[in-house]
Amino acid sequence: MSALALVRTLSCMSALLSGTRAFQPAALARTTRTLIEARKEGVAAPEELKEFVAAAGDRILVVDVRNPDAAVEPGDQKSLAVAALPSDSFRLRAVNLVWDRDSDSMPLPDVAKDTPIITHCGGGGRGQLAKDFLLAQGFDNVLNGGGPKETDCWAEFGDK
């Protein structure tokens, strides 16, 4: 939980218990959603992704590390039903470079090392591994976008 979410939660609880200020159900609902839908560590905030995408323009590359092989990554099937892998006619700024859990690696994208890259998987775990891997390989402009599960993040780059 972020520090801001914790402060909001405690503030709402304090107001409820002390009766010193009006109860704000919208603030409590927002905080509760934040607690329940916590992102995996390393997933960029929607605002950060929005700024990153805007600054990158047409140079952006989205690296989808999900595996289409259900025998290897059965969990990916759920997110693939929500958002298909990139193709020649869908998500034109994206490539599918599968994260290999056995080797803890993936193919490198064929782009300059300063290319703005957003990595993602289904929910952010392998997206973070891919981000760390790319940074270790000398790519220097990489964010982890999580995946289709983080709908507010996905809204910023999922159509790329």
Side-chain angles (χ1 to χ4, degrees), residues 40-101:
K40 290 188 178 175
E41 188 172 334
V43 174
E47 301 80 23
E48 184 179 9
L49 286 163
K50 184 175 187 166
E51 291 173 12
F52 189 81
V53 169
D58 289 341
R59 292 190 62 229
I60 189 115
L61 176 67
V62 177
V63 176
D64 186 334
V65 301
R66 295 176 296 168
N67 193 325
D69 186 346
V72 177
E73 287 286 353
D76 280 347
Q77 299 311 301
K78 195 182 290 185
S79 71
L80 288 169
V82 173
L85 292 172
S87 70
D88 290 339
S89 61
F90 178 67
R91 297 180 59 211
L92 303 179
R93 303 296 311 154
V95 294
N96 181 227
L97 302 173
V98 176
W99 178 260
D100 184 334
R101 290 183 191 268

